[in-house]
Every structure is written in structure tokens, then in C-alpha cells.
Amino acid sequence: MSTIDPSEPAVCTYASQGLTLSYCDWGNAGAPMLLLLHGSRDHARSWDWTARALRDRFHVVAPDLRGHGDSAWSPDGAYLLAYYLIDLIELIDRLGAPRLSIVGHSLGGNVVARCAALLPDRFEKVVIVDGLGPNEALMRAWEEAGPLARTRDWITSRRDPRLARPRRFATLADATARMAEANPHLSPEQARHLALHGVRRHADGYGWKYDPRVGLFAPEDFALDVRAFWKAIEAPTLLCYGPESWTTNPAADGREANFRDARTEVFENAGHWLHHDRFDAFLAALEAFL
């Protein structure tokens, strides 16, 4: 365990399925525990603004998912949702809190939903930030394509030689510019912070910390009817949505109705990363819900 300064989290590690995984612990032991899970190709430090705002009220912990941030890459590219789920359960057991609240963005939200369904007695509140997975139209398209076509596409992608040559940036400024390009809502300070903690320096430049294979979702990942998990969640649930996202509004498309106790909060002028795009509004909604 190490700390940088009092305003920074302690960086800790734990073992799960043969991998050494990292998490940021913002302290305040004894306070109600709050876990923050990032999305695909992201990292734990993307939650820094949220963690700093809530660290006086909660014991905030933000893990790096396997293959992301400072956590180890899976040697065989094992990035099925089921593996992320086991890693999260291992962390929850390590932290030892009998009950906790949890926030998950994008991929992290999908993992959170499955965990909250499987361990209903452990969760006080659940927040899913644009993280219910593919919308109904995309799911129908996958069903029409069929498992053979989806499996062929996945195998082709996994064998792509470009995966062995991850992208490099000459400078941190170049990586920051790419971050800003991906999300125009980011302020210069946000973009630089996300890039600073999202890259690692190599002999040939700066490269993203995430394993390029994390974005290749296997056909089996969404073969299960995820609505069964949503229906099993007992904790009050807040679904957060930004209309500029490529996903759809859970209240309008009917997915919200699969939860026992859920409501959808819409953040105007925000997209998939609404917790960055409209941070003040997101934080206010989160604090009110928690």
C-alpha cells in the first residue's frame, strides 16, 4: 500500500483468479462503504472528482478492472463479464463491509447489476450510469446475426495482428488531445487528468494502460437474458442517462420496468460519460439518492 499525498488515495492490490488487481482507497474507514466501478477502457482515477466530493461521508473505494489501469492484464485475454464479476466479489469480500452502496459506469454498470442480483443482502443502494448494456435494437441485430456469425467476428478480431501493436502517443499532450476528441464535453483539466492516469510511458512513447482486448466482447457475454439479473436486485436503484449517448433511455425503452425499485434520472446536454459531462448535476443526484 502506498500514498502520494493526503489528497490522493492509497493504492492497494489484491489477488483474484491469479491476477494482481489494483484499487484506490480514499480512506475514512468505519464510514459507510461506497464502491465506484469504471467502464471499458477507463480506469479508477476517472472517479477522482466523485471520490473527493464524497470521501468525508463515505469510505470510497474505486478498483481498476482486470486489464485496466494499474491492474494486471489477463494473459489469455479473459475479459468475459463473468470474470469481472468474480473479481468484484473477491474485492467486496476483502474489504469486509457487511453492506455497501455501489456505482457502476458502462461496462462497470453491467457488472454491478449482476453482482447486486447475486448478493442482494450486501447492497444498500445501486447506481448504474449508462450501464445496462446494448439497447434492444442492437440485441435484436445480434440475434438475427446468430451465434455462428458473432463467433466468427470475435475470432477474427481476437486474431487481428494490430492487437499486438497498441497505439502510442509521442507526448502526454497528444494523449490528452485524443481524450478531448473522444468527449468534447471534457474541460482541459478533466482531459489532462484522465490522460495522465490513463497512459503508461514506454520506450516508444505513451500508451493506454488498458489491454486492447478488453473491448472485444465475446459472443457469450450477452447470451444470457440480463433482465433476470435486473429483476433480482433488491436494493433501490438509480439509472442515470445522458441523451447524447449512443444508448437509449431506460424509462422510455421499458428496461427500467424490469427493476423492483428503480427510477431513471436524465442529464440533459450529456452523453455516455455523463458523470464527467454534467459533474455537478450528477453529484447532486448521487448525494440525494445515497
Side-chain angles (χ1 to χ4, degrees):
M1 180 184 296
S2 62
T3 56
I4 299 175
D5 65 55
S7 67
E8 293 284 309
V11 179
C12 313
T13 60
Y14 73 105
S16 178
Q17 304 171 80
L19 298 182
T20 298
L21 305 181
S22 176
Y23 66 93
C24 294
D25 189 330
W26 289 87
N28 200 10
M33 182 160 286
L34 175 66
L35 260 61
L36 307 173
L37 264 69
H38 64 79
S40 180
R41 296 181 293 184
D42 208 338
H43 51 80
R45 301 304 298 267
S46 69
W47 289 112
D48 279 9
W49 297 278
T50 302
R52 289 192 175 107
L54 298 177
R55 65 185 303 183
D56 291 337
R57 292 175 48 200
F58 294 92
H59 179 184
V60 181
V61 172
D64 281 318
L65 301 177
R66 60 170 49 213
H68 296 76
D70 294 323
S71 286
W73 291 13
S74 170
D76 54 359
Y79 298 115
L80 289 170
L81 280 164
Y83 287 99
Y84 292 121
L85 178 58
I86 295 175
D87 295 339
L88 177 57
I89 292 173
E90 290 279 4
L91 177 60
I92 290 172
D93 284 347
R94 172 188 171 90
L95 295 172
R99 289 181 66 83
L100 62 143
S101 294
I102 192 164
V103 181
H105 171 239
S106 193
L107 169 68
N110 206 304
V111 179
V112 162
R114 298 184 186 212
C115 192
L118 293 170
L119 304 176
D121 59 323
R122 301 293 294 274
F123 293 94
E124 292 282 355
K125 299 286 181 66
V126 172
V127 181
I128 300 176
V129 182
D130 210 18
L132 295 186
N135 60 38
E136 294 295 328
L138 183 54
M139 290 297 289
R140 284 196 299 271
W142 282 355
E143 290 174 1
E144 292 171 3
L148 296 181
R150 294 200 308 272
T151 301
R152 288 192 187 99
D153 289 345
W154 178 73
I155 290 173
T156 299
S157 298
R158 280 292 301 261
R159 298 181 69 195
D160 190 330
R162 289 175 294 181
L163 290 177
R165 300 190 299 272
R167 183 175 184 177
R168 292 287 187 262
F169 300 96
T171 66
L172 178 60
D174 291 337
T176 300
R178 177 66 187 95
M179 189 68 69
E181 178 186 353
N183 184 4
H185 283 292
L186 292 175
S187 68
E189 187 267 339
Q190 285 177 313
R192 188 179 188 283
H193 180 88
L194 294 171
L196 177 65
H197 292 287
V199 298
R200 184 174 291 112
R201 188 162 190 173
H202 303 269
D204 57 345
Y206 293 86
W208 300 121
K209 288 181 177 180
Y210 63 80
D211 186 336
R213 297 172 294 180
V214 299
L216 303 179
F217 296 105
E220 294 83 356
D221 261 352
F222 299 103
L224 297 178
D225 186 348
V226 72
R227 291 173 297 182
F229 291 97
W230 300 341
K231 292 174 181 177
I233 296 173
E234 296 180 2
T237 303
L238 178 65
L239 306 174
C240 300
Y241 172 71
E244 295 178 22
S245 175
W246 56 83
T247 61
T248 52
N249 184 334
D253 65 21
R255 291 185 291 177
E256 178 192 279
N258 291 283
F259 292 81
R260 301 185 189 187
D261 180 6
R263 65 178 178 86
T264 299
E265 183 101 7
V266 177
F267 297 82
E268 299 295 339
N269 303 312
H272 185 58
W273 292 274
L274 62 92
H275 53 306
H276 296 326
D277 303 348
R278 296 285 312 284
F279 173 70
D280 290 341
F282 169 74
L283 181 63
L286 181 61
E287 289 186 300
F289 178 70
L290 294 176

